[in-house]
Amino acid sequence: MALIETKSNPLLSQIFRRTFIKSYLSIKKISRLKKSIELEVIDDSLVSSIIFSLKEKTTEEIPLMKVFNHISGGKLLVNSPAIYLRQYHQGTVYPGSDFIQINNKAVWHKTQYPHFGKLLPLDYHLVRKNENIINVDKVKKIINVTNGFSLCGVHSNVWSHFLVQYLPKIDCIKKIIEITGENLTIIIPPYHDQNIREILNALISDIKLINILELKIDEIAKCDKLYYVENTSVLADHAIYLSPTDCVIPQFVMSYLKNSFLTNKLLFSSFDGQKIPQFRKLFIKRVVSPLSPLSNLRILENAVEIEKFFESEGFEFIAPHEYSLEEKRKLFSEASIIAGSYSSGFMNMIFCQPDTKFLVFMNYQRIYELYLAKLSEAFKVKLLAVIGIDNQPESIHSSYTIPLKEVINSYQTLMNDNE
């Protein structure tokens, strides 16, 4: 029987590839399910005790994104639950996952989100969810810990998530030791971002009675006593469509970033709070690893002509992850305007001076991902999003094209905004 030559028939090639991948993933999931363990998801009040509160229940303001020729402003008021440091007995931590295992039970805080039903959980060790029962990978390598404090979770090693979901937790470490007087093991995921390592090392450098346990993805930590704080902000793991409440960053997190993180002399020894000249124009290059599932998604398809325009305007092209923390802060604090395609690089606006201008290109659905809108309000910078024509309007990861004329007009509008 002759084989179909898929090279000359791209449609058949695509169908074959999708069918093969779907079959492979289905077989792999069945195999994982057979080897998994079943846990009942329960309320954490049944298996934990509260040590102290990080924040009480609040109502948080979420500003809408300002979008050129589309949205001028607006706000939502969203309820945000209290956040506690809790202690669990015989609690097991999985790197890359948000659930905690306690014997044959599990605590999974994000199931309490009102919009959990629309989210797509990306917990690495999650095999299946069926109502209040989850199946998780049976991990063979278990590391026993006496007293543990976890910084692990979904996206815990990603810069944008680390800043608002995990970084504020580090403040609890010294308090735990003061309360207990016992040694404490800080359980962390594999950090690939050197800025995250730099931050953690500096913030714990003067704390005694601690050690670090970095879990590999095929390891779990079982703690006699586990001290745990649920994520300090709500950022959806993933979703089929976006909603403004997929991102809720409480005010106490913004206060922590401004008043504790940015003023830390161990991290930023050369900054004294004085205003410095803003002479740079920066263009952030969106850099995605070829191995990432997002490598061919959310692409600005006419980026070449747009980048040529900004090059002619005197912009420097940068990749923020290539700089040390202090270099990054210096670079962004010297900028008067920053442009580029939406990426985690824009979270570095926390290092900018008030009234710095941001021009961000994105596909349509991303205007409802309000992380940048919240940061821009808190740090008093001017943010303007620009949208164009999406290739797949139904997808949150659609690639897109923005006419160069639209880019130039939005740039001139932002540059003339001197209010």
Side-chain angles (χ1 to χ4, degrees), residues 360-393:
V360 188
F361 313 124
M362 59 183 67
N363 59 307
Y364 185 82
Q365 282 212 41
R366 291 287 159 178
I367 67 176
Y368 297 109
E369 186 176 274
L370 300 177
Y371 191 138
L372 285 187
K374 182 66 177 179
L375 282 187
S376 65
E377 180 187 65
F379 288 88
K380 296 180 170 51
V381 302
K382 296 180 178 180
L383 172 68
L384 183 62
V386 189
I387 55 176
I389 303 163
D390 288 7
N391 293 355
Q392 298 173 288

Side-chain angles (χ1 to χ4, degrees), residues 85-104:
L85 172 73
R86 293 179 179 270
Q87 179 186 301
Y88 302 82
H89 289 282
Q90 301 301 309
T92 300
V93 173
Y94 291 69
S97 296
D98 287 330
F99 55 79
I100 304 164
Q101 180 186 346
I102 298 96
N103 299 319
N104 64 342

Side-chain angles (χ1 to χ4, degrees), residues 345-368:
F346 281 91
M347 311 319 171
N348 294 298
M349 69 169 57
I350 65 173
F351 300 130
C352 291
Q353 298 187 60
D355 294 326
T356 303
K357 297 176 179 180
F358 284 82
L359 192 66
V360 188
F361 313 124
M362 59 183 67
N363 59 307
Y364 185 82
Q365 282 212 41
R366 291 287 159 178
I367 67 176
Y368 297 109

